[in-house]
Amino acid sequence: MSPKTQKKTKKQIIQEAAVRLFRDKGYSATSMRDLADAVNLKASSLYNHISSKEEILKDICFENAHRFLDGMKEVESLPGTPAEKVEALLRLHIRAATGDAASVMAFNDEWRHLAEPLLSEFMALRRDYERRFMAILKSGMQSGQIQDMEPVVALHTLFSSMRWLYDWFQPGKKLSSEKVEEDMVRMVMKGLVK
Amino acid sequence: MSPKTQKKTKKQIIQEAAVRLFRDKGYSATSMRDLADAVNLKASSLYNHISSKEEILKDICFENAHRFLDGMKEVESLPGTPAEKVEALLRLHIRAATGDAASVMAFNDEWRHLAEPLLSEFMALRRDYERRFMAILKSGMQSGQIQDMEPVVALHTLFSSMRWLYDWFQPGKKLSSEKVEEDMVRMVMKGLVK
DNA sequence: CCTACCGATCGGTAGG
DNA sequence: CCTACCGATCGGTAGG
């Protein structure tokens, strides 16, 4: 182990290359040969580090699911109005999308390629997260702080609104992630028109 | 030709089945055998109606690109403030996504599988549309009607916010498309909080 | 519209 | 970590 930086395992290197390929070409269109080329191995050698193509996708999907669920737990335990909680979660989503774009994109767009029983397990985590997010929205509507509308419409519109970040945003290039975060939070919370 | 309904050509039937499969499994994961099964043909027989898998994707992508460009042209020619034009375009996007979900999804998510030179041609149309949409946003910012922010952030957040509709919305099931449209327009234009 | 088939490529294994 | 290879499946063609 290097004193300065944690040494990456070959498995981590493979996962990071996979995540980039999944973003660029999609999970199905990425072959194990593509992945092997990206890490200078032969396809068969990948299997010394990972057990299958699906395992890589599974790891991406579940790591991100737990990242968001951990964030939710923290927000729930904090004091604050529903609108403040929604803003905190919004910032969590934005930071994940700008800071770890490829991974969050694979998590968002490629989970449907999971096979059972992983697919059901993943969808259960997702539903749990959505249910808890919606509970916050509903309580904000009841207290009159959040606009009265279909909670499910608010939830999905909010989630969706960040989905351009990971196939567009290039950190440090022209726009800072701080400026993007501030503009997006303002637009989602206060709207496009004055 | 039937007197009541325009008879669908086999090509149209194939395209509609393809669009549904691309939505459910993605373009890459959809095989010509899958598509053949969906229309009760053998894979080889598809080629009497279409020339390649990519041709189907090309038709979806370019039909939708022109649909949105036609809408843009109409909105540009209409009188109205920038905010009113943005709202009209927003409604165009929402109606396309709820009314023709599978096609709009393929258009939005699968175009990257086009090969050159189609890919560049498609991206040029997309860039033209985005440029014209951004011009409306900018003029609204200059007149003070639209919140001052990075136009590119506003543009992409707005586009993105509708992307859940086509993998979620089921017309007539619980939520009407009219209610969804009203809630979404209000949320995007006026924000989540009161 | 089908049967029969093409070469290429897929994810993955055997064996060293 | 490689070479060699597996059966399955891919998009697509030939020929009728």
Side-chain angles (χ1 to χ4, degrees):
Chain A
M1 235 178 277
S2 149
K4 289 191 183 170
T5 54
Q6 194 80 14
K7 195 166 176 249
K8 278 180 194 169
T9 65
K10 199 85 186 180
K11 181 167 181 172
Q12 282 177 306
I13 292 168
I14 291 169
Q15 280 182 333
E16 284 166 22
V19 135
R20 261 174 273 128
L21 286 164
F22 292 169
R23 169 163 77 160
D24 293 340
K25 315 175 58 156
Y27 175 76
S28 288
T30 299
S31 73
M32 296 305 272
R33 270 95 176 159
D34 293 333
L35 179 53
D37 286 347
V39 295
N40 285 310
L41 287 178
K42 295 295 172 184
S44 58
S45 302
L46 294 171
Y47 293 89
N48 292 308
H49 305 285
I50 52 130
S51 68
S52 69
K53 187 183 177 185
E54 195 188 15
E55 188 204 41
I56 303 175
L57 182 61
K58 179 203 76 179
D59 286 346
I60 297 168
C61 290
F62 284 85
E63 277 167 22
N64 278 285
H66 286 111
R67 179 223 303 251
F68 284 110
L69 282 165
D70 289 348
M72 174 61 77
K73 199 170 185 178
E74 205 188 314
V75 167
E76 285 170 335
S77 73
L78 251 46
T81 65
E84 284 165 352
K85 291 185 180 190
V86 169
E87 184 175 324
L89 288 167
L90 189 53
R91 289 183 189 274
L92 173 69
H93 281 242
I94 295 169
R95 280 173 205 168
T98 55
D100 203 4
S103 176
V104 173
M105 183 182 189
F107 160 70
N108 261 313
D109 291 353
E110 308 293 346
W111 58 269
R112 62 185 166 159
H113 297 292
L114 289 171
E116 295 291 0
L118 290 173
L119 182 60
S120 292
E121 200 186 317
F122 177 81
M123 288 196 297
L125 293 181
R126 212 178 165 88
R127 267 196 303 273
D128 179 43
Y129 185 80
E130 293 179 357
R131 193 184 46 74
R132 289 156 74 179
F133 206 127
M134 233 175 332
I136 298 173
L137 287 171
K138 282 180 193 166
S139 85
M141 289 177 196
Q142 274 155 16
S143 70
Q145 199 180 15
I146 291 176
Q147 299 245 33
D148 190 48
M149 56 189 293
E150 282 294 338
V152 77
V153 172
L155 177 85
H156 284 114
T157 302
L158 194 149
F159 282 5
S160 264
S161 64
M162 272 146 301
R163 288 179 72 155
W164 62 282
L165 285 172
Y166 43 72
D167 50 45
W168 184 91
F169 186 69
Q170 308 246 355
K173 201 185 171 191
K174 232 188 99 185
L175 248 58
S176 71
S177 48
E178 290 78 15
K179 171 68 171 154
V180 170
E181 182 174 331
E182 291 319 310
D183 280 353
M184 288 192 71
V185 168
R186 195 150 49 91
M187 178 166 164
V188 172
M189 301 302 277
K190 299 189 179 163
L192 197 57
V193 295
K194 280 185 191 168
Chain B
M1 237 178 277
S2 148
K4 289 191 182 170
T5 54
Q6 194 80 14
K7 194 164 175 255
K8 278 180 194 168
T9 65
K10 198 85 187 181
K11 182 167 181 172
Q12 282 177 305
I13 291 168
I14 291 169
Q15 279 182 334
E16 285 166 22
V19 135
R20 263 174 271 127
L21 285 164
F22 293 170
R23 169 163 75 161
D24 292 341
K25 314 174 59 155
Y27 175 77
S28 288
T30 299
S31 74
M32 295 306 271
R33 271 93 176 161
D34 294 333
L35 179 53
D37 286 347
V39 295
N40 285 310
L41 287 178
K42 296 294 172 185
S44 58
S45 302
L46 294 171
Y47 293 89
N48 291 308
H49 305 283
I50 53 129
S51 69
S52 69
K53 186 183 179 185
E54 194 189 14
E55 188 203 40
I56 303 175
L57 181 62
K58 180 203 76 181
D59 287 345
I60 296 168
C61 290
F62 284 85
E63 277 167 23
N64 278 286
H66 287 111
R67 178 221 305 250
F68 284 109
L69 282 165
D70 289 348
M72 173 62 78
K73 200 170 185 179
E74 205 188 314
V75 167
E76 285 169 337
S77 73
L78 253 44
T81 64
E84 285 164 352
K85 291 185 181 190
V86 169
E87 184 176 325
L89 289 166
L90 189 52
R91 289 182 189 274
L92 173 70
H93 280 242
I94 295 169
R95 281 173 204 166
T98 54
D100 203 5
S103 176
V104 173
M105 183 181 189
F107 160 70
N108 261 312
D109 291 354
E110 307 294 347
W111 58 268
R112 61 184 166 159
H113 297 292
L114 289 170
E116 293 292 0
L118 291 173
L119 182 62
S120 292
E121 202 185 315
F122 178 80
M123 289 196 296
L125 293 182
R126 211 179 165 88
R127 266 197 304 274
D128 179 42
Y129 185 79
E130 292 179 357
R131 193 184 45 73
R132 289 156 74 178
F133 206 126
M134 234 176 330
I136 298 173
L137 288 170
K138 281 179 193 165
S139 85
M141 289 177 196
Q142 274 155 17
S143 69
Q145 199 180 15
I146 291 176
Q147 298 245 33
D148 190 47
M149 57 188 293
E150 283 293 337
V152 77
V153 172
L155 178 84
H156 284 114
T157 302
L158 194 149
F159 282 5
S160 267
S161 63
M162 272 145 302
R163 288 178 71 156
W164 61 282
L165 284 173
Y166 43 72
D167 50 46
W168 184 91
F169 185 69
Q170 309 247 354
K173 202 185 169 188
K174 233 188 99 183
L175 249 58
S176 71
S177 49
E178 289 77 16
K179 171 66 171 156
V180 170
E181 182 174 331
E182 290 320 308
D183 280 353
M184 287 192 71
V185 168
R186 195 149 49 91
M187 177 166 164
V188 172
M189 300 303 278
K190 299 189 179 165
L192 198 57
V193 295
K194 280 186 190 166

